[in-house]
Amino acid sequence: YVVFIAFPCLIIDVFSSRSISEIGEIATLVIFFSFITVTFSLMIILTLIKSAKLGFDRQTQGAMVLTSSFQNAGFLPLTISSVIWGEDGITIVAFYILMNYMLANIAGPIIASIFSAQNINKMDVLRSSVTYPPLVATIIGYVFLLMPFELPQAAKNIFSFIGDTTIPLILFAIGVRLSFEPSSIMKNLTAFILVFTIRFVFSPLINLLVLSKIVLSDMVRSIIILESGMPPAIINMALVERYNLNRNLTSQLISTLTAVSLLLIPLWLFI
């Protein structure tokens, strides 16, 4: 419901209320995307080097590379940005979600297939990328933005009403998925430490280094830092299942590091 209905309605509601003059913000978002690409590439390199030296099997290496590279760009950042920055924050996070999803959906299968014996179905990858509901909603939102007339108030109210259910449902989903199994953590302690370090230390540091060289608004800067310190994305679980990688480790990494990330959010906002 969140991915296919609520979040797309939220995107359309936010975009339809923009003016043409605000389209200039997209220039900032282009720079914003480059941070994702740089961080994404470095996360893979760091994980490959470390995991290969530590003697992990191929299935475990694949799971670690995926969970280190693709962060949860949506659930937590969308909720926090909505509360602190309102529609401006939601707009930036929406682009971040789209970019991160495209990277995970295109590069993810390639990475996963390297560590398994399964081949990639290129048509399935392309189809799922172009039909991703939030991407379709973004295109519709831009169409509404460029129209010479506004949406009827009734339509705006419908999009707004449905879109407003996104944040509560996201918070509920986060709570349901949280789990903590000390025995599993101890069994895979090295893997947990490595992915933790990459997601919560190297990723923010890389972004902070780039941010120190350019000037952006405080809101954009804060959202970039917040996004850089997010836990592994849930889409990693789907990739691991599809390509027969380490399912148990991936599940525990996602749930445990999501719980840890809640404690680190004040740090990202303070920086």
Side-chain angles (χ1 to χ4, degrees), residues 2 7 71-82 93-94 96-98 100-101 132 166-167 170 174 226-227 230-231 233-234:
V2 171
F7 184 47
Q71 79 270 31
N72 189 335
F75 279 16
L76 290 173
L78 188 63
T79 304
I80 296 166
S81 298
S82 173
V93 173
Y96 213 122
I97 293 171
L98 292 171
N100 194 71
Y101 175 83
Y132 183 50
T166 305
I167 305 302
I170 284 175
I174 291 172
L226 177 66
E227 289 278 8
M230 285 296 100
I234 296 170

Side-chain angles (χ1 to χ4, degrees), residues 68-191:
S68 295
S69 303
F70 304 114
Q71 79 270 31
N72 189 335
F75 279 16
L76 290 173
L78 188 63
T79 304
I80 296 166
S81 298
S82 173
V83 172
I84 299 178
W85 298 289
E87 290 189 352
D88 290 338
I90 291 175
T91 303
I92 297 175
V93 173
F95 275 101
Y96 213 122
I97 293 171
L98 292 171
M99 188 65 174
N100 194 71
Y101 175 83
M102 297 301 287
L103 285 171
N105 199 57
I106 295 172
I110 297 174
I111 295 169
S113 67
I114 292 173
F115 296 94
S116 71
Q118 300 183 43
N119 296 321
I120 304 171
N121 188 321
K122 295 179 181 178
M123 288 306 300
D124 283 348
V125 171
L126 178 61
R127 189 181 303 110
S128 61
S129 297
V130 299
T131 59
Y132 183 50
L135 176 62
V136 176
T138 300
I139 295 171
I140 294 173
Y142 269 117
V143 172
F144 288 157
L145 177 67
L146 298 172
M147 287 193 308
F149 55 86
E150 292 188 359
L151 282 176
Q153 189 59 46
K156 288 184 177 180
N157 291 339
I158 292 173
F159 286 127
S160 178
F161 177 78
I162 299 175
D164 286 344
T165 65
T166 305
I167 305 302
L169 287 174
I170 284 175
L171 291 173
F172 176 77
I174 291 172
V176 169
R177 290 192 177 110
L178 289 180
S179 66
F180 186 75
E181 296 183 16
S183 59
S184 178
I185 294 175
M186 294 307 297
K187 181 180 178 181
N188 301 287
L189 185 59
T190 305

Side-chain angles (χ1 to χ4, degrees), residues 47-48 50-65 112 114-116 187-188 190-191 194 240 243-250:
T47 309
L48 282 173
K50 290 291 184 179
S51 62
K53 288 183 177 180
L54 293 173
F56 293 108
D57 59 46
R58 298 286 291 175
Q59 287 75 22
T60 299
Q61 284 188 42
M64 292 171 64
V65 169
I114 292 173
F115 296 94
S116 71
K187 181 180 178 181
N188 301 287
T190 305
L194 178 56
V240 165
Y243 291 93
N244 196 30
L245 302 178
N246 193 324
R247 300 179 182 88
N248 182 62
L249 175 62
T250 303

Side-chain angles (χ1 to χ4, degrees), residues 33-44 206-207 210:
F33 292 157
S34 68
F35 297 143
I36 305 173
T37 305
V38 171
T39 303
F40 165 76
S41 301
L42 289 175
M43 294 307 96
I44 291 179
I206 291 166
N207 281 272
V210 178

